[in-house]
Amino acid sequence: MKRILIAISLIAMVSCHRSVPPPVYDGVLPDFGTGGDDAPADEPDGDSAGLDAELANDALRYSGPELALDYRQGGVMYVIRSQSEHAFYDIDGNSRAIIIPGHVGSDGITYEDTRLNVNGADIDVISARRIKVSDGLIWLLMTDADGNRHIAVIES
């Protein structure tokens, strides 16, 4: 019986082991662009400028200035906890991002009452808008009070 328990423990440890180490935040953030001075005055800065790589990537994920969680990486879970709450968890590193998109505004693109929580800290989201919809996924671009961009690809 003791050998069986040891064998099961070893199998569990090996199956949970990640063969590729998690990415290390090195202080360099992905270039999301800023929109620059040549952005039309009637459009929000950086509406889609510098987002080509983000728009081409259809992996469920959250990326922001201090954290990036990609569902394709081992140990990252994506959970829809209610109709309006989407969460990414890194079970190895104890990191998390919780996105509550809120409701779609009258223009059908912007979101109102969007809430974002990263590693237990509420982020003051000043604008949120859908930048792409494809195959049951929504690309959501959120801007915080400090001007940082947060991008989430979630299920619709």
Side-chain angles (χ1 to χ4, degrees):
M1 180 69 175
K2 190 175 186 180
R3 288 182 185 184
I4 292 173
L5 289 175
I6 291 173
I8 290 173
S9 297
L10 288 174
I11 290 170
M13 286 190 302
V14 171
S15 67
C16 292
H17 175 70
R18 185 190 312 199
S19 62
V20 177
V24 175
Y25 177 65
D26 59 2
V28 178
L29 301 174
D31 179 19
F32 294 142
T34 60
D37 294 335
D38 56 350
D42 59 323
E43 290 185 22
D45 277 348
D47 194 29
S48 61
L51 296 176
D52 293 340
E54 290 288 340
L55 293 171
N57 183 351
D58 64 354
L60 293 167
R61 68 187 181 285
Y62 163 81
S63 67
E66 296 178 9
L67 179 65
L69 296 171
D70 188 325
Y71 180 65
R72 296 174 302 180
Q73 294 177 338
V76 174
M77 294 185 339
Y78 171 69
V79 179
I80 301 174
R81 295 201 297 195
S82 69
Q83 184 76 10
S84 63
E85 185 172 315
H86 305 263
F88 292 89
Y89 297 98
D90 180 356
I91 58 175
D92 294 337
N94 198 25
S95 300
R96 65 188 177 281
I98 300 170
I99 302 109
I100 301 173
H103 59 276
V104 179
S106 60
D107 62 2
I109 296 173
T110 58
Y111 283 77
E112 298 173 1
D113 301 322
T114 301
R115 296 189 326 197
L116 175 63
N117 183 291
V118 177
N119 290 333
D122 288 329
I123 306 296
D124 185 15
V125 176
I126 59 169
S127 71
R129 63 188 307 115
R130 184 181 64 225
I131 56 175
K132 182 178 176 181
V133 176
S134 177
D135 297 327
L137 300 176
I138 296 173
W139 280 250
L140 185 62
L141 172 63
M142 298 164 282
T143 305
D144 66 25
D146 294 328
N148 297 314
R149 288 182 166 183
H150 304 260
I151 295 180
V153 179
I154 58 177
E155 292 180 350
S156 57

